[in-house]
């Protein structure tokens, strides 16, 4: 077993390595992988916990397994993407000798194709989350660049009206087009609230407990 002196020597060596400028690009890729894994787990675990216990049926073991799987998938994919993006970006900059905006775009495109191109629930949620953000960002950028005029009034109320109008229309008449988790949430809010049998599933529970309904 390594003694305290060996541990101090090892820590000194590692810390000295981390300060070397020539390794900074490579080390930044490694830390990006670490940050992707940690951030993915931190934001997915609580979300998966809430959604699983609210809407998923099955045993406690099945629910915990689903939470762990969703957290692992999100954490792994984000770590892989950050690693791929930063690595490709650094490679392009080294080859071309300077930093260009296209390098970021191309690195992210390839990373998105490789990591988030698999059509599963986790990737679908992440991609749609980003889509809403970039639409907002592109709208603001278009105003800043003068491609579209600055609105005279705050367009947010109109935006909110259209978003809610369209999503509820889709839910009521074309629910199969919506993501399963969104369908579950809307079923809970708008359809489950149309059904009850007594005070227990009117105020206390959403649905009658097993064996309680005759």
């Amino acid at each position: 077993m390594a003694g305290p002196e060996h541990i101090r020597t090892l820590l000194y060596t590692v810390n000295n390595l981390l300060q070397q400028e020539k390794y900074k690009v490579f080390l930044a890729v490694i830390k990006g992988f670490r940050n992707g894994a940690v951030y993915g787990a931190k934001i997915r675990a609580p979300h998966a916990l809430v959604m699983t216990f609210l809407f998923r049926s099955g045993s406690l073991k099945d629910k915990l397994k689903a939470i762990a799987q969703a957290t692992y998938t999100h954490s792994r994919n984000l770590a892989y993407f950050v690693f791929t993006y930063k690595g490709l970006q650094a490679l392009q900059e080294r080859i071309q000798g300077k930093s260009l905006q296209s390098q970021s775009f191309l690195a992210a495109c390839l990373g998105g194709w490789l990591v988030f191109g698999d059509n599963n629930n986790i990737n679908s949620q992440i991609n749609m989350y980003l889509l809403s953000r970039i639409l907002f960002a592109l709208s603001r950028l278009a105003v800043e660049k003068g491609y579209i005029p600055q609105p005279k009034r705050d367009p947010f109320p109109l935006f909110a009206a259209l978003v809610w109008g369209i999503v509820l229309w889709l839910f009521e008449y074309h629910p199969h087009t919506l993501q399963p988790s969104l369908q579950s949430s809307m079923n809970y809010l708008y359809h489950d609230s149309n059904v009850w049998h007594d005070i227990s599933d009117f105020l206390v529970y959403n649905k009658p407990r097993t064996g309680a309904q005759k």
Side-chain angles (χ1 to χ4, degrees):
M1 182 179 294
E5 188 62 33
H6 290 86
I7 294 176
R8 283 195 293 269
T9 301
L10 178 61
L11 289 175
Y12 174 82
T13 303
V14 171
N15 286 331
N16 185 60
L17 177 66
L18 293 175
Q19 301 304 316
Q20 300 296 315
E21 189 67 25
K22 60 182 177 180
Y23 300 127
K24 186 172 183 179
V25 173
F26 173 75
L27 294 171
V29 173
I30 299 300
K31 185 171 183 182
F33 180 90
R34 177 264 179 200
N35 283 7
V38 171
Y39 187 77
K42 287 174 68 174
I43 63 174
R44 174 57 57 174
H47 176 270
L49 177 69
V50 172
M51 297 301 290
T52 298
F53 278 95
L54 274 179
F55 301 115
R56 190 184 182 96
S57 59
S59 65
L60 178 60
K61 180 180 179 181
D62 291 337
K63 292 180 179 180
L64 292 177
K65 183 178 179 180
I67 294 168
Q69 182 60 47
T71 302
Y72 168 75
T73 301
H74 195 147
S75 176
R76 179 200 62 194
N77 287 4
L78 199 53
Y80 284 175
F81 177 81
V82 177
F83 181 89
T84 303
Y85 168 72
K86 290 179 70 67
L88 290 175
Q89 193 177 30
L91 180 62
Q92 291 179 91
E93 186 173 344
R94 183 176 181 84
I95 293 173
Q96 296 179 297
K98 57 182 178 179
S99 179
L100 301 171
Q101 291 189 29
S102 60
Q103 295 168 355
S104 175
F105 179 77
L106 292 174
C109 280
L110 185 55
W113 178 280
L114 294 174
V115 179
F116 292 111
D118 184 23
N119 191 1
N120 57 53
N121 290 338
I122 301 298
N123 286 349
S124 179
Q125 290 172 1
I126 294 172
N127 289 337
M128 286 192 291
Y129 172 88
L130 290 177
L131 176 62
S132 64
R133 269 46 181 185
I134 65 174
L135 290 176
F136 258 94
L138 288 173
S139 298
R140 290 173 179 146
L141 184 61
V143 172
E144 289 179 6
K145 297 292 185 180
Y147 299 137
I148 59 176
Q150 177 73 40
K152 295 181 179 180
R153 296 182 179 179
D154 184 4
F156 195 82
L158 177 60
F159 162 76
L162 290 175
V163 166
W164 284 97
I166 292 172
V167 76
L168 264 298
W169 169 72
L170 287 171
F171 171 68
E172 296 291 0
Y173 298 102
H174 307 280
H176 64 282
T177 63
L178 298 175
Q179 191 186 29
S181 62
L182 181 56
Q183 290 183 48
S184 296
S185 298
M186 290 196 157
N187 272 320
Y188 183 86
L189 292 169
Y190 306 113
H191 286 179
D192 289 358
S193 56
N194 293 332
V195 180
W196 62 87
H197 302 87
D198 54 36
I199 190 66
S200 66
D201 62 346
F202 184 77
L203 288 180
V204 183
Y205 303 101
N206 177 46
K207 295 181 179 180
R209 291 172 293 174
T210 303
Q213 184 182 359
K214 297 182 179 180

